[in-house]
Amino acid sequence: MTDLVAQTSHDQIELVSFRIGEQEFCVDIMAVREIRGWAPATPLPQTPPYMRGVINLRGAVLPILDLAVRLELPATEPSARSVIIVIAADNRLVGLLVDAVSDILSVSRAAIQPTPDVACDRVRSFVRGLMSIDGRMISQIAVDRILPDVEAIAA
């Protein structure tokens, strides 16, 4: 009985789902460090269009990435409902600007389908997989691939 419980728990993954426009996305909850309300970012010169700027997060400088622009969707217009999801990937912290956090999902790894071949290479590089939950199609973002190369930002 104990082996069955252990096997079942390893098959589940917890995800934080959020909205960008009319689309729903999610990231692995293990990458999420904090979810906070929108705070205006200080723009930095010579950064890619998806970089909103930086904010002060308890004494640390946190870069804010407009996830919509990074995914080549229309830019997010921050509102009172907008949030910053602070994630850790590749030993870096970055804030993802999204329209709203929707839910915390617990899904079976088997429920996550691979990104279809019809998607362009860029989409396949950012989207780890897709799942259908309660009639909603949710794309799982690969946080390790969404972050820009440090060298690309410095260039």
Side-chain angles (χ1 to χ4, degrees):
M1 183 75 168
T2 306
D3 291 337
L4 180 61
V5 172
Q7 182 179 355
T8 304
S9 65
H10 290 299
D11 185 46
Q12 296 290 313
I13 183 171
E14 288 193 324
L15 305 164
V16 175
S17 69
F18 53 89
R19 282 187 316 94
I20 298 175
E22 297 300 314
Q23 296 185 25
E24 199 164 355
F25 299 90
C26 63
V27 293
D28 190 323
I29 199 166
M30 297 306 291
V32 177
R33 297 297 172 255
E34 180 176 339
I35 298 173
R36 55 182 295 124
W38 167 247
T42 303
L44 296 174
Q46 304 297 317
T47 56
Y50 54 81
M51 292 303 298
R52 278 288 183 144
V54 294
I55 64 170
N56 181 344
L57 180 67
R58 292 182 294 284
V61 176
L62 179 71
I64 304 299
L65 185 146
D66 187 336
L67 190 54
V69 176
R70 183 71 169 141
L71 297 173
E72 297 184 3
L73 299 169
T76 301
E77 288 303 321
S79 69
R81 294 202 59 198
S82 298
V83 296
I84 297 171
I85 301 174
V86 180
I87 61 167
D90 298 331
N91 296 321
R92 295 186 286 164
L93 286 180
V94 67
L96 303 178
L97 172 60
V98 301
D99 289 333
V101 170
S102 306
D103 207 354
I104 295 177
L105 308 169
S106 181
V107 299
S108 163
R109 291 184 192 277
I112 302 172
Q113 301 296 314
T115 307
D117 288 336
V118 296
C120 70
D121 289 336
R122 181 177 294 268
V123 170
R124 279 198 303 269
S125 72
F126 291 154
V127 176
R128 178 156 287 146
L130 300 163
M131 64 203 85
S132 179
I133 298 175
D134 299 329
R136 305 175 344 231
M137 187 61 66
I138 303 172
S139 302
Q140 182 184 9
I141 299 294
V143 294
D144 54 331
R145 295 184 193 142
I146 204 74
L147 298 180
D149 292 333
V150 174
E151 294 79 21
I153 292 176

